[in-house]
Amino acid sequence: MSDYIYSYRESGSSKNITFIVTKDCQLACKYCYLVGKNAKERLPWEVAKKAIDYVLNHEQDFQEESVVWDFIGGEPFLEIDLIDKICDYIKTEMFRLNHHWFNSFRFNFSTNGINYDSQKVQEFIKKNRQHLSIGITIDGTREKHDLNRIWKTKDGFSPKPEEEKGSYNDVVRNIPLWQEQFPGTGTKVTISSADIKYIKESVLHLYSLGIHEVNINVVFEDVWEEGDDKKFEEQLIQLADAIIDGEFYTDYTCSFFSENLGKPLDKKLQNQNWCGAGRMLAVDAAGNFYPCTRFAQYSLRDKKAWIIGNVHDGIDKNKLRPFLTLDRCTQSKQECIDCEVAEGCAWCQGENYDAAESPTVFERSTAICKMHKARVRANNYYWNKLYRKLELEGIAREEADKHVKKSNFQEPC
């Protein structure tokens, strides 16, 4: 990993610019928030070029120390030729302009991993390796993964239940190559109501594949059924036991467990937004700018797209202004602010907008409230058990050290 990545992560000052290169994908994942995927809308090269030119030639408006050029779909690697051309142009222009982002950037991808080993993708990786991060999504065990991450039909639709074909085999075969090229990279797992029962075995399965960092979260949409929070807590407690008893905590992580989770809200955090909507920038095939990809039409169930400009006219700062005032207090009910386990309770700004009764970003969706509280209870169990285990081991080691020292002292020369 190159030095710039370390400095990028430490600086905390970065701009995320996202190209929606395609709305097509090989899969029809059941929990996907992209409700408008299709094979027709592909980012034209001319639109991508204008977006790059606008950003790089308005350096005064993009003063962050570093930049992440993010590529999403659908499945981004379906458009590897376009991506390769975009990345070459970005590098050339940043050098030509002596831009302050030159050598302080990375290209970021989240992929389903199906065509990761293709010749064109591998050539792209080789060319850009020092400024590249790629995450492959694998949901856990074959049963968990294939429950949701299924192939779409030839005509582009979700298959009938009896015709579903999972993608586990097509993804897992590329995991060793991915790990070899990006050691230490984590995967992202999504949990919905139907697959709660697979959480423990799925995290352990990912560990067994050599994936040391498992970033895992529940969907923010209102899909949860009565009793899901209890099942969720039970699975997390079982996972906690497995991680601690198996001492996986020494070399593996799972984002469900965090020492800072589930405390009363720190007053310093009241003026912060959970996500970066409004401080990011996304562009689609039509050349429209969005505060985040979740505000593009193909991401929205019930609301109209929230467009903040386009590649021809630039960013309309008045349309962007509401996002710059977002923090926990401006969009949360008082009960959320005063909640005893508020810290670590997340939200998605796009889902807030889509689920709101009116077209506003100032109404927080609380569909995951019970799930968050269940996670907090399991998290408390995890850390209490771990600290108790380490404490007892420390006492045992201390007593053993005393015994060893005493034996050594009494041993004749």
PDB file of all heavy atoms in Angstrom, residues 33 105 124 145-146 170 194 204 284 314 339 341 348 359 361 375 384 405:
ATOM      1  N   TYR A  33     -31.123  -1.556  -2.711  1.00  0.00           N
ATOM      2  CA  TYR A  33     -31.899  -0.323  -2.650  1.00  0.00           C
ATOM      3  C   TYR A  33     -32.072   0.315  -4.028  1.00  0.00           C
ATOM      4  O   TYR A  33     -32.842   1.273  -4.181  1.00  0.00           O
ATOM      5  CB  TYR A  33     -31.242   0.684  -1.704  1.00  0.00           C
ATOM      6  CG  TYR A  33     -29.869   1.159  -2.134  1.00  0.00           C
ATOM      7  CD1 TYR A  33     -29.722   2.230  -3.007  1.00  0.00           C
ATOM      8  CD2 TYR A  33     -28.718   0.537  -1.663  1.00  0.00           C
ATOM      9  CE1 TYR A  33     -28.469   2.664  -3.420  1.00  0.00           C
ATOM     10  CE2 TYR A  33     -27.463   0.962  -2.059  1.00  0.00           C
ATOM     11  CZ  TYR A  33     -27.349   2.026  -2.927  1.00  0.00           C
ATOM     12  OH  TYR A  33     -26.100   2.451  -3.325  1.00  0.00           O
ATOM     13  N   PHE A 105      -4.848  10.820  -4.211  1.00  0.00           N
ATOM     14  CA  PHE A 105      -6.147  10.355  -4.682  1.00  0.00           C
ATOM     15  C   PHE A 105      -6.173   8.841  -4.708  1.00  0.00           C
ATOM     16  O   PHE A 105      -5.139   8.180  -4.621  1.00  0.00           O
ATOM     17  CB  PHE A 105      -6.420  10.868  -6.102  1.00  0.00           C
ATOM     18  CG  PHE A 105      -5.542  10.224  -7.155  1.00  0.00           C
ATOM     19  CD1 PHE A 105      -5.984   9.119  -7.863  1.00  0.00           C
ATOM     20  CD2 PHE A 105      -4.265  10.709  -7.415  1.00  0.00           C
ATOM     21  CE1 PHE A 105      -5.174   8.512  -8.823  1.00  0.00           C
ATOM     22  CE2 PHE A 105      -3.449  10.111  -8.373  1.00  0.00           C
ATOM     23  CZ  PHE A 105      -3.908   9.015  -9.079  1.00  0.00           C
ATOM     24  N   PHE A 124      -6.396  -3.351 -15.681  1.00  0.00           N
ATOM     25  CA  PHE A 124      -6.689  -2.073 -15.025  1.00  0.00           C
ATOM     26  C   PHE A 124      -6.088  -2.049 -13.620  1.00  0.00           C
ATOM     27  O   PHE A 124      -5.496  -1.045 -13.200  1.00  0.00           O
ATOM     28  CB  PHE A 124      -8.196  -1.859 -14.963  1.00  0.00           C
ATOM     29  CG  PHE A 124      -8.609  -0.654 -14.178  1.00  0.00           C
ATOM     30  CD1 PHE A 124      -8.581   0.613 -14.752  1.00  0.00           C
ATOM     31  CD2 PHE A 124      -9.013  -0.767 -12.861  1.00  0.00           C
ATOM     32  CE1 PHE A 124      -8.945   1.733 -14.029  1.00  0.00           C
ATOM     33  CE2 PHE A 124      -9.382   0.342 -12.122  1.00  0.00           C
ATOM     34  CZ  PHE A 124      -9.348   1.601 -12.706  1.00  0.00           C
ATOM     35  N   HIS A 145     -25.436 -16.127   1.314  1.00  0.00           N
ATOM     36  CA  HIS A 145     -25.155 -15.371   0.099  1.00  0.00           C
ATOM     37  C   HIS A 145     -26.208 -15.652  -0.982  1.00  0.00           C
ATOM     38  O   HIS A 145     -26.759 -14.720  -1.582  1.00  0.00           O
ATOM     39  CB  HIS A 145     -23.759 -15.739  -0.423  1.00  0.00           C
ATOM     40  CG  HIS A 145     -23.308 -14.931  -1.593  1.00  0.00           C
ATOM     41  ND1 HIS A 145     -22.488 -13.832  -1.460  1.00  0.00           N
ATOM     42  CD2 HIS A 145     -23.557 -15.057  -2.926  1.00  0.00           C
ATOM     43  CE1 HIS A 145     -22.261 -13.315  -2.660  1.00  0.00           C
ATOM     44  NE2 HIS A 145     -22.892 -14.046  -3.562  1.00  0.00           N
ATOM     45  N   ASP A 146     -26.485 -16.928  -1.207  1.00  0.00           N
ATOM     46  CA  ASP A 146     -27.389 -17.302  -2.295  1.00  0.00           C
ATOM     47  C   ASP A 146     -28.854 -17.035  -1.977  1.00  0.00           C
ATOM     48  O   ASP A 146     -29.710 -17.093  -2.873  1.00  0.00           O
ATOM     49  CB  ASP A 146     -27.208 -18.777  -2.651  1.00  0.00           C
ATOM     50  CG  ASP A 146     -25.924 -19.029  -3.423  1.00  0.00           C
ATOM     51  OD1 ASP A 146     -25.287 -18.043  -3.837  1.00  0.00           O
ATOM     52  OD2 ASP A 146     -25.551 -20.208  -3.611  1.00  0.00           O
ATOM     53  N   ASP A 170     -19.610 -18.130  -8.064  1.00  0.00           N
ATOM     54  CA  ASP A 170     -19.023 -17.211  -9.042  1.00  0.00           C
ATOM     55  C   ASP A 170     -18.197 -16.117  -8.380  1.00  0.00           C
ATOM     56  O   ASP A 170     -17.329 -15.513  -9.012  1.00  0.00           O
ATOM     57  CB  ASP A 170     -20.147 -16.572  -9.870  1.00  0.00           C
ATOM     58  CG  ASP A 170     -21.053 -17.603 -10.499  1.00  0.00           C
ATOM     59  OD1 ASP A 170     -20.619 -18.271 -11.453  1.00  0.00           O
ATOM     60  OD2 ASP A 170     -22.187 -17.762 -10.021  1.00  0.00           O
ATOM     61  N   ALA A 194     -34.853 -11.752   6.463  1.00  0.00           N
ATOM     62  CA  ALA A 194     -34.861 -13.174   6.110  1.00  0.00           C
ATOM     63  C   ALA A 194     -33.578 -13.910   6.477  1.00  0.00           C
ATOM     64  O   ALA A 194     -33.579 -15.146   6.601  1.00  0.00           O
ATOM     65  CB  ALA A 194     -35.130 -13.334   4.616  1.00  0.00           C
ATOM     66  N   LEU A 204     -18.162 -16.130  10.732  1.00  0.00           N
ATOM     67  CA  LEU A 204     -17.106 -17.120  10.938  1.00  0.00           C
ATOM     68  C   LEU A 204     -16.647 -17.720   9.610  1.00  0.00           C
ATOM     69  O   LEU A 204     -15.459 -18.009   9.424  1.00  0.00           O
ATOM     70  CB  LEU A 204     -17.599 -18.225  11.877  1.00  0.00           C
ATOM     71  CG  LEU A 204     -17.946 -17.785  13.303  1.00  0.00           C
ATOM     72  CD1 LEU A 204     -18.442 -18.975  14.118  1.00  0.00           C
ATOM     73  CD2 LEU A 204     -16.752 -17.127  13.988  1.00  0.00           C
ATOM     74  N   ASP A 284     -24.549  11.204 -12.971  1.00  0.00           N
ATOM     75  CA  ASP A 284     -25.133  10.066 -13.676  1.00  0.00           C
ATOM     76  C   ASP A 284     -25.024  10.233 -15.190  1.00  0.00           C
ATOM     77  O   ASP A 284     -24.405  11.182 -15.687  1.00  0.00           O
ATOM     78  CB  ASP A 284     -26.588   9.855 -13.240  1.00  0.00           C
ATOM     79  CG  ASP A 284     -27.524  10.961 -13.724  1.00  0.00           C
ATOM     80  OD1 ASP A 284     -27.059  11.915 -14.384  1.00  0.00           O
ATOM     81  OD2 ASP A 284     -28.743  10.868 -13.443  1.00  0.00           O
ATOM     82  N   GLY A 314     -22.931  23.479 -13.734  1.00  0.00           N
ATOM     83  CA  GLY A 314     -22.251  23.385 -12.446  1.00  0.00           C
ATOM     84  C   GLY A 314     -23.210  23.122 -11.299  1.00  0.00           C
ATOM     85  O   GLY A 314     -24.372  22.752 -11.498  1.00  0.00           O
ATOM     86  N   CYS A 339     -31.864   9.632  23.777  1.00  0.00           N
ATOM     87  CA  CYS A 339     -31.791   8.177  23.951  1.00  0.00           C
ATOM     88  C   CYS A 339     -30.506   7.784  24.685  1.00  0.00           C
ATOM     89  O   CYS A 339     -29.423   8.287  24.399  1.00  0.00           O
ATOM     90  CB  CYS A 339     -31.834   7.496  22.588  1.00  0.00           C
ATOM     91  SG  CYS A 339     -31.710   5.701  22.655  1.00  0.00           S
ATOM     92  N   VAL A 341     -28.856   5.138  24.507  1.00  0.00           N
ATOM     93  CA  VAL A 341     -27.925   4.346  23.690  1.00  0.00           C
ATOM     94  C   VAL A 341     -27.784   4.966  22.305  1.00  0.00           C
ATOM     95  O   VAL A 341     -27.596   4.270  21.305  1.00  0.00           O
ATOM     96  CB  VAL A 341     -28.370   2.872  23.591  1.00  0.00           C
ATOM     97  CG1 VAL A 341     -28.294   2.203  24.954  1.00  0.00           C
ATOM     98  CG2 VAL A 341     -29.779   2.764  23.013  1.00  0.00           C
ATOM     99  N   CYS A 348     -29.265   6.538   6.986  1.00  0.00           N
ATOM    100  CA  CYS A 348     -28.903   6.843   5.606  1.00  0.00           C
ATOM    101  C   CYS A 348     -29.691   8.070   5.196  1.00  0.00           C
ATOM    102  O   CYS A 348     -30.920   8.081   5.295  1.00  0.00           O
ATOM    103  CB  CYS A 348     -29.223   5.664   4.687  1.00  0.00           C
ATOM    104  SG  CYS A 348     -29.158   6.066   2.921  1.00  0.00           S
ATOM    105  N   PRO A 359     -41.279  15.830   1.075  1.00  0.00           N
ATOM    106  CA  PRO A 359     -39.961  15.823   0.408  1.00  0.00           C
ATOM    107  C   PRO A 359     -38.929  16.650   1.174  1.00  0.00           C
ATOM    108  O   PRO A 359     -38.573  17.753   0.789  1.00  0.00           O
ATOM    109  CB  PRO A 359     -40.256  16.420  -0.967  1.00  0.00           C
ATOM    110  CG  PRO A 359     -41.460  17.269  -0.754  1.00  0.00           C
ATOM    111  CD  PRO A 359     -42.275  16.577   0.287  1.00  0.00           C
ATOM    112  N   VAL A 361     -35.210  16.446   3.819  1.00  0.00           N
ATOM    113  CA  VAL A 361     -34.092  15.661   4.353  1.00  0.00           C
ATOM    114  C   VAL A 361     -33.996  15.823   5.868  1.00  0.00           C
ATOM    115  O   VAL A 361     -33.074  15.299   6.479  1.00  0.00           O
ATOM    116  CB  VAL A 361     -32.751  16.076   3.697  1.00  0.00           C
ATOM    117  CG1 VAL A 361     -32.709  15.643   2.253  1.00  0.00           C
ATOM    118  CG2 VAL A 361     -32.501  17.574   3.836  1.00  0.00           C
ATOM    119  N   ARG A 375     -28.581  -4.613  19.099  1.00  0.00           N
ATOM    120  CA  ARG A 375     -27.140  -4.648  18.866  1.00  0.00           C
ATOM    121  C   ARG A 375     -26.386  -4.125  20.082  1.00  0.00           C
ATOM    122  O   ARG A 375     -25.352  -4.675  20.465  1.00  0.00           O
ATOM    123  CB  ARG A 375     -26.792  -3.814  17.636  1.00  0.00           C
ATOM    124  CG  ARG A 375     -25.308  -3.751  17.333  1.00  0.00           C
ATOM    125  CD  ARG A 375     -24.993  -2.731  16.260  1.00  0.00           C
ATOM    126  NE  ARG A 375     -23.565  -2.548  16.107  1.00  0.00           N
ATOM    127  CZ  ARG A 375     -23.004  -1.528  15.474  1.00  0.00           C
ATOM    128  NH1 ARG A 375     -23.763  -0.593  14.920  1.00  0.00           N
ATOM    129  NH2 ARG A 375     -21.690  -1.426  15.376  1.00  0.00           N
ATOM    130  N   ASN A 384     -18.177  -7.052  27.932  1.00  0.00           N
ATOM    131  CA  ASN A 384     -18.107  -7.543  29.308  1.00  0.00           C
ATOM    132  C   ASN A 384     -17.422  -8.895  29.362  1.00  0.00           C
ATOM    133  O   ASN A 384     -16.563  -9.153  30.222  1.00  0.00           O
ATOM    134  CB  ASN A 384     -19.519  -7.651  29.907  1.00  0.00           C
ATOM    135  CG  ASN A 384     -20.107  -6.304  30.269  1.00  0.00           C
ATOM    136  OD1 ASN A 384     -19.374  -5.350  30.519  1.00  0.00           O
ATOM    137  ND2 ASN A 384     -21.431  -6.217  30.301  1.00  0.00           N
ATOM    138  N   LYS A 405       9.299 -17.220  38.375  1.00  0.00           N
ATOM    139  CA  LYS A 405      10.388 -16.462  38.981  1.00  0.00           C
ATOM    140  C   LYS A 405      10.857 -17.122  40.260  1.00  0.00           C
ATOM    141  O   LYS A 405      12.046 -17.204  40.547  1.00  0.00           O
ATOM    142  CB  LYS A 405       9.933 -15.029  39.270  1.00  0.00           C
ATOM    143  CG  LYS A 405       9.737 -14.180  38.015  1.00  0.00           C
ATOM    144  CD  LYS A 405       9.218 -12.804  38.361  1.00  0.00           C
ATOM    145  CE  LYS A 405       8.997 -12.001  37.085  1.00  0.00           C
ATOM    146  NZ  LYS A 405       8.408 -10.664  37.380  1.00  0.00           N
TER     147      LYS A 405
END
